[in-house]
PDB file of all heavy atoms in Angstrom:
ATOM      1  N   LEU A 153      13.386   3.234   4.793  1.00 92.00           N
ATOM      2  CA  LEU A 153      12.003   3.141   5.071  1.00 92.00           C
ATOM      3  C   LEU A 153      11.138   3.953   4.115  1.00 92.00           C
ATOM      4  O   LEU A 153      10.074   3.540   3.624  1.00 92.00           O
ATOM      5  CB  LEU A 153      11.680   3.601   6.515  1.00 92.00           C
ATOM      6  CG  LEU A 153      11.897   2.695   7.674  1.00 92.00           C
ATOM      7  CD1 LEU A 153      11.645   3.288   8.989  1.00 92.00           C
ATOM      8  CD2 LEU A 153      11.121   1.329   7.537  1.00 92.00           C
ATOM      9  N   VAL A 154      11.714   5.099   3.722  1.00 94.00           N
ATOM     10  CA  VAL A 154      10.994   5.982   2.750  1.00 94.00           C
ATOM     11  C   VAL A 154      10.931   5.275   1.410  1.00 94.00           C
ATOM     12  O   VAL A 154       9.854   5.279   0.768  1.00 94.00           O
ATOM     13  CB  VAL A 154      11.716   7.319   2.632  1.00 94.00           C
ATOM     14  CG1 VAL A 154      11.233   8.102   1.418  1.00 94.00           C
ATOM     15  CG2 VAL A 154      11.430   8.142   3.887  1.00 94.00           C
ATOM     16  N   ILE A 155      11.986   4.682   0.921  1.00 94.00           N
ATOM     17  CA  ILE A 155      12.003   3.976  -0.358  1.00 94.00           C
ATOM     18  C   ILE A 155      10.996   2.799  -0.239  1.00 94.00           C
ATOM     19  O   ILE A 155      10.207   2.573  -1.209  1.00 94.00           O
ATOM     20  CB  ILE A 155      13.445   3.431  -0.643  1.00 94.00           C
ATOM     21  CG1 ILE A 155      14.409   4.625  -0.891  1.00 94.00           C
ATOM     22  CG2 ILE A 155      13.374   2.473  -1.876  1.00 94.00           C
ATOM     23  CD1 ILE A 155      14.056   5.477  -2.059  1.00 94.00           C
ATOM     24  N   HIS A 156      11.054   1.990   0.775  1.00 93.00           N
ATOM     25  CA  HIS A 156      10.148   0.900   0.983  1.00 93.00           C
ATOM     26  C   HIS A 156       8.695   1.375   0.902  1.00 93.00           C
ATOM     27  O   HIS A 156       7.863   0.725   0.308  1.00 93.00           O
ATOM     28  CB  HIS A 156      10.479   0.266   2.336  1.00 93.00           C
ATOM     29  CG  HIS A 156       9.523  -0.716   2.864  1.00 93.00           C
ATOM     30  ND1 HIS A 156       9.635  -2.090   2.396  1.00 93.00           N
ATOM     31  CD2 HIS A 156       8.465  -0.755   3.660  1.00 93.00           C
ATOM     32  CE1 HIS A 156       8.683  -2.766   2.997  1.00 93.00           C
ATOM     33  NE2 HIS A 156       7.949  -1.983   3.769  1.00 93.00           N
ATOM     34  N   SER A 157       8.324   2.382   1.693  1.00 95.00           N
ATOM     35  CA  SER A 157       7.015   2.958   1.710  1.00 95.00           C
ATOM     36  C   SER A 157       6.522   3.514   0.487  1.00 95.00           C
ATOM     37  O   SER A 157       5.389   3.349   0.028  1.00 95.00           O
ATOM     38  CB  SER A 157       6.917   3.910   2.867  1.00 95.00           C
ATOM     39  OG  SER A 157       5.598   4.302   3.084  1.00 95.00           O
ATOM     40  N   PHE A 158       7.418   4.257  -0.226  1.00 97.00           N
ATOM     41  CA  PHE A 158       7.101   4.845  -1.505  1.00 97.00           C
ATOM     42  C   PHE A 158       6.726   3.800  -2.572  1.00 97.00           C
ATOM     43  O   PHE A 158       5.704   3.936  -3.283  1.00 97.00           O
ATOM     44  CB  PHE A 158       8.215   5.683  -2.047  1.00 97.00           C
ATOM     45  CG  PHE A 158       7.995   6.382  -3.358  1.00 97.00           C
ATOM     46  CD1 PHE A 158       7.473   7.628  -3.422  1.00 97.00           C
ATOM     47  CD2 PHE A 158       8.384   5.812  -4.601  1.00 97.00           C
ATOM     48  CE1 PHE A 158       7.239   8.247  -4.622  1.00 97.00           C
ATOM     49  CE2 PHE A 158       8.107   6.371  -5.757  1.00 97.00           C
ATOM     50  CZ  PHE A 158       7.565   7.642  -5.823  1.00 97.00           C
ATOM     51  N   LEU A 159       7.440   2.741  -2.589  1.00 96.00           N
ATOM     52  CA  LEU A 159       7.145   1.640  -3.549  1.00 96.00           C
ATOM     53  C   LEU A 159       5.853   0.951  -3.277  1.00 96.00           C
ATOM     54  O   LEU A 159       5.057   0.646  -4.113  1.00 96.00           O
ATOM     55  CB  LEU A 159       8.303   0.627  -3.568  1.00 96.00           C
ATOM     56  CG  LEU A 159       9.637   1.015  -4.139  1.00 96.00           C
ATOM     57  CD1 LEU A 159      10.683  -0.087  -3.904  1.00 96.00           C
ATOM     58  CD2 LEU A 159       9.436   1.224  -5.646  1.00 96.00           C
ATOM     59  N   GLU A 160       5.597   0.811  -1.960  1.00 95.00           N
ATOM     60  CA  GLU A 160       4.269   0.269  -1.610  1.00 95.00           C
ATOM     61  C   GLU A 160       3.104   1.069  -2.023  1.00 95.00           C
ATOM     62  O   GLU A 160       2.137   0.575  -2.669  1.00 95.00           O
ATOM     63  CB  GLU A 160       4.200   0.015  -0.084  1.00 95.00           C
ATOM     64  CG  GLU A 160       5.145  -1.080   0.483  1.00 95.00           C
ATOM     65  CD  GLU A 160       5.062  -1.081   1.989  1.00 95.00           C
ATOM     66  OE1 GLU A 160       4.694  -0.103   2.675  1.00 95.00           O
ATOM     67  OE2 GLU A 160       5.330  -2.303   2.532  1.00 95.00           O
ATOM     68  N   GLY A 161       3.193   2.364  -1.856  1.00 96.00           N
ATOM     69  CA  GLY A 161       2.177   3.256  -2.200  1.00 96.00           C
ATOM     70  C   GLY A 161       2.018   3.337  -3.718  1.00 96.00           C
ATOM     71  O   GLY A 161       0.941   3.550  -4.314  1.00 96.00           O
ATOM     72  N   SER A 162       3.115   3.096  -4.505  1.00 96.00           N
ATOM     73  CA  SER A 162       3.086   3.292  -5.967  1.00 96.00           C
ATOM     74  C   SER A 162       2.199   2.318  -6.740  1.00 96.00           C
ATOM     75  O   SER A 162       1.858   2.592  -7.848  1.00 96.00           O
ATOM     76  CB  SER A 162       4.550   3.322  -6.506  1.00 96.00           C
ATOM     77  OG  SER A 162       5.060   1.969  -6.346  1.00 96.00           O
ATOM     78  N   ILE A 163       1.885   1.202  -6.058  1.00 96.00           N
ATOM     79  CA  ILE A 163       1.110   0.170  -6.883  1.00 96.00           C
ATOM     80  C   ILE A 163      -0.361   0.461  -6.617  1.00 96.00           C
ATOM     81  O   ILE A 163      -1.207  -0.129  -7.356  1.00 96.00           O
ATOM     82  CB  ILE A 163       1.389  -1.194  -6.316  1.00 96.00           C
ATOM     83  CG1 ILE A 163       0.986  -1.441  -4.870  1.00 96.00           C
ATOM     84  CG2 ILE A 163       2.854  -1.579  -6.566  1.00 96.00           C
ATOM     85  CD1 ILE A 163       0.924  -2.861  -4.477  1.00 96.00           C
ATOM     86  N   LEU A 164      -0.772   1.391  -5.826  1.00 96.00           N
ATOM     87  CA  LEU A 164      -2.168   1.712  -5.589  1.00 96.00           C
ATOM     88  C   LEU A 164      -2.729   2.629  -6.734  1.00 96.00           C
ATOM     89  O   LEU A 164      -2.865   3.809  -6.559  1.00 96.00           O
ATOM     90  CB  LEU A 164      -2.382   2.363  -4.281  1.00 96.00           C
ATOM     91  CG  LEU A 164      -1.997   1.449  -3.049  1.00 96.00           C
ATOM     92  CD1 LEU A 164      -2.042   2.260  -1.703  1.00 96.00           C
ATOM     93  CD2 LEU A 164      -2.960   0.289  -3.002  1.00 96.00           C
ATOM     94  N   VAL A 165      -3.071   1.977  -7.817  1.00 95.00           N
ATOM     95  CA  VAL A 165      -3.644   2.682  -8.974  1.00 95.00           C
ATOM     96  C   VAL A 165      -4.989   2.101  -9.251  1.00 95.00           C
ATOM     97  O   VAL A 165      -5.139   1.051  -9.888  1.00 95.00           O
ATOM     98  CB  VAL A 165      -2.659   2.537 -10.199  1.00 95.00           C
ATOM     99  CG1 VAL A 165      -3.215   3.307 -11.381  1.00 95.00           C
ATOM    100  CG2 VAL A 165      -1.339   3.043  -9.837  1.00 95.00           C
ATOM    101  N   PRO A 166      -6.076   2.811  -8.924  1.00 92.00           N
ATOM    102  CA  PRO A 166      -7.445   2.267  -9.061  1.00 92.00           C
ATOM    103  C   PRO A 166      -8.013   2.480 -10.499  1.00 92.00           C
ATOM    104  O   PRO A 166      -8.930   3.300 -10.615  1.00 92.00           O
ATOM    105  CB  PRO A 166      -8.142   2.960  -7.978  1.00 92.00           C
ATOM    106  CG  PRO A 166      -7.530   4.316  -7.864  1.00 92.00           C
ATOM    107  CD  PRO A 166      -6.044   4.046  -8.167  1.00 92.00           C
ATOM    108  N   THR A 167      -7.451   1.911 -11.474  1.00 90.00           N
ATOM    109  CA  THR A 167      -7.972   2.097 -12.821  1.00 90.00           C
ATOM    110  C   THR A 167      -8.225   0.669 -13.355  1.00 90.00           C
ATOM    111  O   THR A 167      -7.520  -0.253 -13.033  1.00 90.00           O
ATOM    112  CB  THR A 167      -7.063   2.800 -13.751  1.00 90.00           C
ATOM    113  OG1 THR A 167      -5.831   2.032 -13.989  1.00 90.00           O
ATOM    114  CG2 THR A 167      -6.624   4.122 -13.197  1.00 90.00           C
ATOM    115  N   PRO A 168      -9.166   0.445 -14.274  1.00 90.00           N
ATOM    116  CA  PRO A 168      -9.351  -0.809 -14.854  1.00 90.00           C
ATOM    117  C   PRO A 168      -8.204  -1.499 -15.424  1.00 90.00           C
ATOM    118  O   PRO A 168      -8.094  -2.765 -15.499  1.00 90.00           O
ATOM    119  CB  PRO A 168     -10.436  -0.617 -15.920  1.00 90.00           C
ATOM    120  CG  PRO A 168     -11.195   0.673 -15.461  1.00 90.00           C
ATOM    121  CD  PRO A 168     -10.090   1.515 -14.834  1.00 90.00           C
ATOM    122  N   ALA A 169      -7.183  -0.672 -15.931  1.00 88.00           N
ATOM    123  CA  ALA A 169      -6.027  -1.354 -16.504  1.00 88.00           C
ATOM    124  C   ALA A 169      -5.111  -2.053 -15.551  1.00 88.00           C
ATOM    125  O   ALA A 169      -4.252  -2.795 -15.918  1.00 88.00           O
ATOM    126  CB  ALA A 169      -5.183  -0.159 -17.175  1.00 88.00           C
ATOM    127  N   THR A 170      -5.400  -1.822 -14.237  1.00 89.00           N
ATOM    128  CA  THR A 170      -4.533  -2.585 -13.280  1.00 89.00           C
ATOM    129  C   THR A 170      -5.212  -3.762 -12.691  1.00 89.00           C
ATOM    130  O   THR A 170      -4.782  -4.450 -11.715  1.00 89.00           O
ATOM    131  CB  THR A 170      -4.138  -1.621 -12.128  1.00 89.00           C
ATOM    132  OG1 THR A 170      -5.298  -1.151 -11.452  1.00 89.00           O
ATOM    133  CG2 THR A 170      -3.312  -0.439 -12.584  1.00 89.00           C
ATOM    134  N   GLY A 171      -6.345  -4.178 -13.335  1.00 87.00           N
ATOM    135  CA  GLY A 171      -7.004  -5.480 -12.970  1.00 87.00           C
ATOM    136  C   GLY A 171      -7.295  -5.737 -11.451  1.00 87.00           C
ATOM    137  O   GLY A 171      -8.020  -4.999 -10.822  1.00 87.00           O
ATOM    138  N   GLU A 172      -6.717  -6.754 -10.964  1.00 84.00           N
ATOM    139  CA  GLU A 172      -6.941  -7.199  -9.592  1.00 84.00           C
ATOM    140  C   GLU A 172      -6.637  -6.091  -8.553  1.00 84.00           C
ATOM    141  O   GLU A 172      -7.343  -6.050  -7.586  1.00 84.00           O
ATOM    142  CB  GLU A 172      -6.101  -8.465  -9.288  1.00 84.00           C
ATOM    143  CG  GLU A 172      -6.575  -9.710  -9.849  1.00 84.00           C
ATOM    144  CD  GLU A 172      -7.715 -10.401  -9.103  1.00 84.00           C
ATOM    145  OE1 GLU A 172      -8.033  -9.835  -7.899  1.00 84.00           O
ATOM    146  OE2 GLU A 172      -8.264 -11.387  -9.603  1.00 84.00           O
ATOM    147  N   VAL A 173      -5.614  -5.327  -8.860  1.00 90.00           N
ATOM    148  CA  VAL A 173      -5.309  -4.247  -7.914  1.00 90.00           C
ATOM    149  C   VAL A 173      -6.433  -3.221  -7.798  1.00 90.00           C
ATOM    150  O   VAL A 173      -6.724  -2.767  -6.760  1.00 90.00           O
ATOM    151  CB  VAL A 173      -3.994  -3.532  -8.369  1.00 90.00           C
ATOM    152  CG1 VAL A 173      -3.667  -2.323  -7.498  1.00 90.00           C
ATOM    153  CG2 VAL A 173      -2.812  -4.495  -8.351  1.00 90.00           C
ATOM    154  N   SER A 174      -7.062  -2.924  -8.965  1.00 90.00           N
ATOM    155  CA  SER A 174      -8.225  -2.048  -8.842  1.00 90.00           C
ATOM    156  C   SER A 174      -9.347  -2.672  -8.195  1.00 90.00           C
ATOM    157  O   SER A 174     -10.029  -2.066  -7.407  1.00 90.00           O
ATOM    158  CB  SER A 174      -8.558  -1.625 -10.266  1.00 90.00           C
ATOM    159  OG  SER A 174      -9.681  -0.738 -10.333  1.00 90.00           O
ATOM    160  N   GLU A 175      -9.637  -3.940  -8.517  1.00 89.00           N
ATOM    161  CA  GLU A 175     -10.816  -4.599  -7.974  1.00 89.00           C
ATOM    162  C   GLU A 175     -10.605  -4.786  -6.382  1.00 89.00           C
ATOM    163  O   GLU A 175     -11.533  -4.781  -5.704  1.00 89.00           O
ATOM    164  CB  GLU A 175     -10.966  -5.936  -8.665  1.00 89.00           C
ATOM    165  CG  GLU A 175     -11.349  -5.793 -10.100  1.00 89.00           C
ATOM    166  CD  GLU A 175     -11.378  -7.125 -10.879  1.00 89.00           C
ATOM    167  OE1 GLU A 175     -11.325  -8.158 -10.160  1.00 89.00           O
ATOM    168  OE2 GLU A 175     -11.420  -7.129 -12.060  1.00 89.00           O
ATOM    169  N   SER A 176      -9.351  -5.028  -6.065  1.00 90.00           N
ATOM    170  CA  SER A 176      -9.137  -5.229  -4.569  1.00 90.00           C
ATOM    171  C   SER A 176      -8.378  -4.038  -3.929  1.00 90.00           C
ATOM    172  O   SER A 176      -7.619  -4.275  -2.987  1.00 90.00           O
ATOM    173  CB  SER A 176      -8.336  -6.548  -4.414  1.00 90.00           C
ATOM    174  OG  SER A 176      -8.923  -7.650  -5.032  1.00 90.00           O
ATOM    175  N   PHE A 177      -8.630  -2.898  -4.417  1.00 94.00           N
ATOM    176  CA  PHE A 177      -7.880  -1.722  -4.144  1.00 94.00           C
ATOM    177  C   PHE A 177      -7.903  -1.459  -2.551  1.00 94.00           C
ATOM    178  O   PHE A 177      -6.857  -1.359  -1.907  1.00 94.00           O
ATOM    179  CB  PHE A 177      -8.515  -0.435  -4.737  1.00 94.00           C
ATOM    180  CG  PHE A 177      -7.728   0.823  -4.445  1.00 94.00           C
ATOM    181  CD1 PHE A 177      -6.630   1.141  -5.112  1.00 94.00           C
ATOM    182  CD2 PHE A 177      -8.312   1.692  -3.497  1.00 94.00           C
ATOM    183  CE1 PHE A 177      -5.956   2.350  -4.848  1.00 94.00           C
ATOM    184  CE2 PHE A 177      -7.597   2.884  -3.256  1.00 94.00           C
ATOM    185  CZ  PHE A 177      -6.445   3.180  -3.843  1.00 94.00           C
ATOM    186  N   TYR A 178      -9.031  -1.546  -1.962  1.00 94.00           N
ATOM    187  CA  TYR A 178      -9.196  -1.255  -0.548  1.00 94.00           C
ATOM    188  C   TYR A 178      -8.612  -2.370   0.359  1.00 94.00           C
ATOM    189  O   TYR A 178      -8.045  -2.057   1.375  1.00 94.00           O
ATOM    190  CB  TYR A 178     -10.630  -0.940  -0.176  1.00 94.00           C
ATOM    191  CG  TYR A 178     -11.106   0.338  -0.787  1.00 94.00           C
ATOM    192  CD1 TYR A 178     -11.964   0.327  -1.808  1.00 94.00           C
ATOM    193  CD2 TYR A 178     -10.591   1.648  -0.236  1.00 94.00           C
ATOM    194  CE1 TYR A 178     -12.425   1.581  -2.349  1.00 94.00           C
ATOM    195  CE2 TYR A 178     -11.046   2.765  -0.831  1.00 94.00           C
ATOM    196  CZ  TYR A 178     -11.938   2.780  -1.865  1.00 94.00           C
ATOM    197  OH  TYR A 178     -12.291   3.996  -2.425  1.00 94.00           O
ATOM    198  N   ALA A 179      -8.608  -3.595  -0.210  1.00 93.00           N
ATOM    199  CA  ALA A 179      -8.036  -4.713   0.649  1.00 93.00           C
ATOM    200  C   ALA A 179      -6.509  -4.572   0.607  1.00 93.00           C
ATOM    201  O   ALA A 179      -5.895  -4.783   1.599  1.00 93.00           O
ATOM    202  CB  ALA A 179      -8.427  -6.029   0.030  1.00 93.00           C
ATOM    203  N   ILE A 180      -5.945  -4.144  -0.569  1.00 94.00           N
ATOM    204  CA  ILE A 180      -4.472  -3.993  -0.573  1.00 94.00           C
ATOM    205  C   ILE A 180      -4.054  -2.712   0.226  1.00 94.00           C
ATOM    206  O   ILE A 180      -3.084  -2.752   0.961  1.00 94.00           O
ATOM    207  CB  ILE A 180      -4.036  -3.854  -2.076  1.00 94.00           C
ATOM    208  CG1 ILE A 180      -4.324  -5.215  -2.778  1.00 94.00           C
ATOM    209  CG2 ILE A 180      -2.544  -3.536  -2.138  1.00 94.00           C
ATOM    210  CD1 ILE A 180      -4.181  -5.030  -4.336  1.00 94.00           C
ATOM    211  N   LEU A 181      -4.889  -1.764   0.172  1.00 95.00           N
ATOM    212  CA  LEU A 181      -4.624  -0.497   0.933  1.00 95.00           C
ATOM    213  C   LEU A 181      -4.682  -0.808   2.375  1.00 95.00           C
ATOM    214  O   LEU A 181      -3.764  -0.422   3.154  1.00 95.00           O
ATOM    215  CB  LEU A 181      -5.700   0.517   0.658  1.00 95.00           C
ATOM    216  CG  LEU A 181      -5.742   1.750   1.522  1.00 95.00           C
ATOM    217  CD1 LEU A 181      -4.474   2.620   1.371  1.00 95.00           C
ATOM    218  CD2 LEU A 181      -6.983   2.699   1.147  1.00 95.00           C
ATOM    219  N   ALA A 182      -5.572  -1.655   2.933  1.00 94.00           N
ATOM    220  CA  ALA A 182      -5.639  -2.049   4.268  1.00 94.00           C
ATOM    221  C   ALA A 182      -4.424  -2.819   4.682  1.00 94.00           C
ATOM    222  O   ALA A 182      -3.859  -2.581   5.798  1.00 94.00           O
ATOM    223  CB  ALA A 182      -6.897  -2.874   4.475  1.00 94.00           C
ATOM    224  N   GLY A 183      -3.967  -3.718   3.849  1.00 92.00           N
ATOM    225  CA  GLY A 183      -2.719  -4.481   4.137  1.00 92.00           C
ATOM    226  C   GLY A 183      -1.521  -3.592   4.282  1.00 92.00           C
ATOM    227  O   GLY A 183      -0.743  -3.729   5.226  1.00 92.00           O
ATOM    228  N   ILE A 184      -1.391  -2.566   3.486  1.00 94.00           N
ATOM    229  CA  ILE A 184      -0.262  -1.638   3.533  1.00 94.00           C
ATOM    230  C   ILE A 184      -0.317  -0.840   4.832  1.00 94.00           C
ATOM    231  O   ILE A 184       0.617  -0.648   5.591  1.00 94.00           O
ATOM    232  CB  ILE A 184      -0.179  -0.778   2.274  1.00 94.00           C
ATOM    233  CG1 ILE A 184       0.150  -1.633   1.033  1.00 94.00           C
ATOM    234  CG2 ILE A 184       0.893   0.286   2.454  1.00 94.00           C
ATOM    235  CD1 ILE A 184       0.061  -0.806  -0.275  1.00 94.00           C
ATOM    236  N   ALA A 185      -1.590  -0.327   5.134  1.00 94.00           N
ATOM    237  CA  ALA A 185      -1.735   0.521   6.299  1.00 94.00           C
ATOM    238  C   ALA A 185      -1.475  -0.345   7.611  1.00 94.00           C
ATOM    239  O   ALA A 185      -0.793   0.176   8.472  1.00 94.00           O
ATOM    240  CB  ALA A 185      -3.167   1.040   6.306  1.00 94.00           C
ATOM    241  N   LEU A 186      -1.998  -1.532   7.626  1.00 91.00           N
ATOM    242  CA  LEU A 186      -1.745  -2.370   8.851  1.00 91.00           C
ATOM    243  C   LEU A 186      -0.205  -2.623   9.003  1.00 91.00           C
ATOM    244  O   LEU A 186       0.324  -2.580  10.082  1.00 91.00           O
ATOM    245  CB  LEU A 186      -2.458  -3.707   8.651  1.00 91.00           C
ATOM    246  CG  LEU A 186      -3.921  -3.690   8.958  1.00 91.00           C
ATOM    247  CD1 LEU A 186      -4.505  -5.107   8.502  1.00 91.00           C
ATOM    248  CD2 LEU A 186      -4.131  -3.595  10.384  1.00 91.00           C
ATOM    249  N   HIS A 187       0.481  -2.856   7.923  1.00 89.00           N
ATOM    250  CA  HIS A 187       1.879  -3.076   7.918  1.00 89.00           C
ATOM    251  C   HIS A 187       2.702  -1.850   8.486  1.00 89.00           C
ATOM    252  O   HIS A 187       3.677  -1.980   9.151  1.00 89.00           O
ATOM    253  CB  HIS A 187       2.352  -3.482   6.503  1.00 89.00           C
ATOM    254  CG  HIS A 187       3.808  -3.393   6.335  1.00 89.00           C
ATOM    255  ND1 HIS A 187       4.824  -4.034   7.117  1.00 89.00           N
ATOM    256  CD2 HIS A 187       4.549  -2.790   5.334  1.00 89.00           C
ATOM    257  CE1 HIS A 187       5.921  -3.813   6.637  1.00 89.00           C
ATOM    258  NE2 HIS A 187       5.813  -2.997   5.522  1.00 89.00           N
ATOM    259  N   HIS A 188       2.172  -0.609   8.240  1.00 92.00           N
ATOM    260  CA  HIS A 188       2.848   0.571   8.646  1.00 92.00           C
ATOM    261  C   HIS A 188       2.627   0.860  10.127  1.00 92.00           C
ATOM    262  O   HIS A 188       3.472   1.666  10.639  1.00 92.00           O
ATOM    263  CB  HIS A 188       2.301   1.754   7.839  1.00 92.00           C
ATOM    264  CG  HIS A 188       2.780   1.814   6.474  1.00 92.00           C
ATOM    265  ND1 HIS A 188       2.488   2.744   5.544  1.00 92.00           N
ATOM    266  CD2 HIS A 188       3.736   1.023   5.822  1.00 92.00           C
ATOM    267  CE1 HIS A 188       3.094   2.615   4.468  1.00 92.00           C
ATOM    268  NE2 HIS A 188       3.916   1.497   4.575  1.00 92.00           N
ATOM    269  N   ILE A 189       1.674   0.248  10.747  1.00 90.00           N
ATOM    270  CA  ILE A 189       1.532   0.591  12.237  1.00 90.00           C
ATOM    271  C   ILE A 189       2.655   0.162  13.037  1.00 90.00           C
ATOM    272  O   ILE A 189       3.291   1.017  13.760  1.00 90.00           O
ATOM    273  CB  ILE A 189       0.195  -0.131  12.714  1.00 90.00           C
ATOM    274  CG1 ILE A 189      -0.994   0.560  12.031  1.00 90.00           C
ATOM    275  CG2 ILE A 189       0.111   0.095  14.322  1.00 90.00           C
ATOM    276  CD1 ILE A 189      -2.330  -0.166  12.373  1.00 90.00           C
ATOM    277  N   PRO A 190       3.158  -1.082  13.046  1.00 88.00           N
ATOM    278  CA  PRO A 190       4.264  -1.491  13.817  1.00 88.00           C
ATOM    279  C   PRO A 190       5.544  -0.772  13.354  1.00 88.00           C
ATOM    280  O   PRO A 190       6.471  -0.478  14.138  1.00 88.00           O
ATOM    281  CB  PRO A 190       4.368  -2.918  13.720  1.00 88.00           C
ATOM    282  CG  PRO A 190       3.637  -3.313  12.562  1.00 88.00           C
ATOM    283  CD  PRO A 190       2.517  -2.247  12.399  1.00 88.00           C
ATOM    284  N   ALA A 191       5.658  -0.568  12.016  1.00 89.00           N
ATOM    285  CA  ALA A 191       6.861   0.102  11.472  1.00 89.00           C
ATOM    286  C   ALA A 191       6.934   1.541  11.997  1.00 89.00           C
ATOM    287  O   ALA A 191       8.055   1.962  12.454  1.00 89.00           O
ATOM    288  CB  ALA A 191       6.839   0.065   9.948  1.00 89.00           C
ATOM    289  N   ALA A 192       5.851   2.259  12.011  1.00 91.00           N
ATOM    290  CA  ALA A 192       5.871   3.639  12.435  1.00 91.00           C
ATOM    291  C   ALA A 192       6.150   3.754  13.976  1.00 91.00           C
ATOM    292  O   ALA A 192       6.944   4.611  14.422  1.00 91.00           O
ATOM    293  CB  ALA A 192       4.536   4.324  12.193  1.00 91.00           C
ATOM    294  N   PHE A 193       5.638   2.809  14.662  1.00 89.00           N
ATOM    295  CA  PHE A 193       5.842   2.730  16.138  1.00 89.00           C
ATOM    296  C   PHE A 193       7.386   2.493  16.392  1.00 89.00           C
ATOM    297  O   PHE A 193       7.996   3.161  17.231  1.00 89.00           O
ATOM    298  CB  PHE A 193       4.997   1.670  16.774  1.00 89.00           C
ATOM    299  CG  PHE A 193       5.134   1.582  18.329  1.00 89.00           C
ATOM    300  CD1 PHE A 193       4.302   2.406  19.129  1.00 89.00           C
ATOM    301  CD2 PHE A 193       6.102   0.781  18.923  1.00 89.00           C
ATOM    302  CE1 PHE A 193       4.347   2.437  20.447  1.00 89.00           C
ATOM    303  CE2 PHE A 193       6.138   0.834  20.336  1.00 89.00           C
ATOM    304  CZ  PHE A 193       5.310   1.579  21.154  1.00 89.00           C
ATOM    305  N   ALA A 194       7.896   1.434  15.696  1.00 87.00           N
ATOM    306  CA  ALA A 194       9.280   1.150  15.916  1.00 87.00           C
ATOM    307  C   ALA A 194      10.252   2.250  15.457  1.00 87.00           C
ATOM    308  O   ALA A 194      11.275   2.581  16.119  1.00 87.00           O
ATOM    309  CB  ALA A 194       9.699  -0.136  15.115  1.00 87.00           C
ATOM    310  N   LEU A 195       9.869   2.965  14.333  1.00 89.00           N
ATOM    311  CA  LEU A 195      10.663   4.127  13.871  1.00 89.00           C
ATOM    312  C   LEU A 195      10.672   5.233  14.979  1.00 89.00           C
ATOM    313  O   LEU A 195      11.779   5.797  15.243  1.00 89.00           O
ATOM    314  CB  LEU A 195      10.123   4.635  12.607  1.00 89.00           C
ATOM    315  CG  LEU A 195      10.741   5.925  12.068  1.00 89.00           C
ATOM    316  CD1 LEU A 195      12.271   5.787  11.790  1.00 89.00           C
ATOM    317  CD2 LEU A 195      10.048   6.473  10.816  1.00 89.00           C
TER     318      LEU A 195
END
């Protein structure tokens, strides 16, 4: 779970060089956070 979660967080780089990730930073962040709710409960 730690490896899985670390990799998810590692793509959140809000700089112009990351293109769509930077432009949709909060949308991607929301997706990762939502995904962590059932995972944390189950853990």
Side-chain angles (χ1 to χ4, degrees):
L153 281 180
V154 166
I155 295 297
H156 171 84
S157 187
F158 181 89
L159 287 173
E160 289 178 335
S162 68
I163 66 168
L164 294 172
V165 181
T167 67
T170 59
E172 285 278 354
V173 175
S174 179
E175 294 172 12
S176 306
F177 181 81
Y178 291 105
I180 297 168
L181 171 63
I184 295 172
L186 279 170
H187 164 53
H188 282 179
I189 293 174
F193 185 89
L195 171 63

